[in-house]
Amino acid sequence: MNLIELSPVGNFESWEIARLNEFRSEQFAKTLSQSPIYENDEFRLWNITLKPKERLPFRKITNDFSYTFLTEGFGVFHQGDGKINFGQFKKGDVYYYSIKKYGELILDFENISLEVLKFMVIELNTDS
């Protein structure tokens, strides 16, 4: 996975007005907007398929998570601190995010590929 910073922390000037208004309304999604394919007391497993230009709306992430890309593609991450990252993903790329290390995260993700983007997410239940 290759990430390129498009906008630094604290800079909301390059955000689209609609996305900025959505973020400011703080009506964050409770889930990844798609049902998990498996869930128990320890983790949730999500199978995500995003068509071109489709996105996962803002979500406050409070648990550690890992995602593995099943297809190649491109995406843009908007973070609650203003940072925007462009990502290039290859099949098999894996990323892990630790809440303990980096803190809670507010995140929005959009598929900007010309093809469908598929990935799996494992969200650990750190509340148990």
Side-chain angles (χ1 to χ4, degrees), residues 64-124:
D64 292 357
F65 67 91
S66 172
Y67 50 89
T68 303
F69 285 89
L70 305 174
T71 58
E72 294 186 359
F74 305 95
V76 174
F77 299 91
H78 284 78
Q79 295 179 195
D81 59 7
K83 187 174 187 176
I84 301 173
N85 282 320
F86 165 83
Q88 178 181 8
F89 317 108
K90 293 186 176 156
K91 184 177 180 178
D93 280 351
V94 177
Y95 179 79
Y96 178 75
Y97 187 88
S98 168
I99 295 297
K100 190 174 191 176
K101 184 173 182 179
Y102 300 109
E104 287 185 3
L105 178 65
I106 297 172
L107 188 67
D108 164 285
F109 177 74
E110 181 178 1
N111 176 11
I112 61 167
S113 308
L114 297 176
E115 303 294 329
V116 169
L117 186 61
K118 296 180 181 184
F119 54 101
M120 302 286 288
V121 177
I122 298 174
E123 180 181 16
L124 301 179

Side-chain angles (χ1 to χ4, degrees), residues 40-86:
N40 64 24
D41 291 341
E42 296 176 6
F43 68 92
R44 286 185 272 310
L45 177 62
W46 306 84
N47 185 15
I48 309 295
T49 300
L50 293 177
K51 297 175 187 171
K53 298 184 182 178
E54 193 173 11
R55 60 185 271 255
L56 296 174
F58 286 105
R59 180 172 179 234
K60 184 181 278 187
I61 300 169
T62 58
N63 295 322
D64 292 357
F65 67 91
S66 172
Y67 50 89
T68 303
F69 285 89
L70 305 174
T71 58
E72 294 186 359
F74 305 95
V76 174
F77 299 91
H78 284 78
Q79 295 179 195
D81 59 7
K83 187 174 187 176
I84 301 173
N85 282 320
F86 165 83

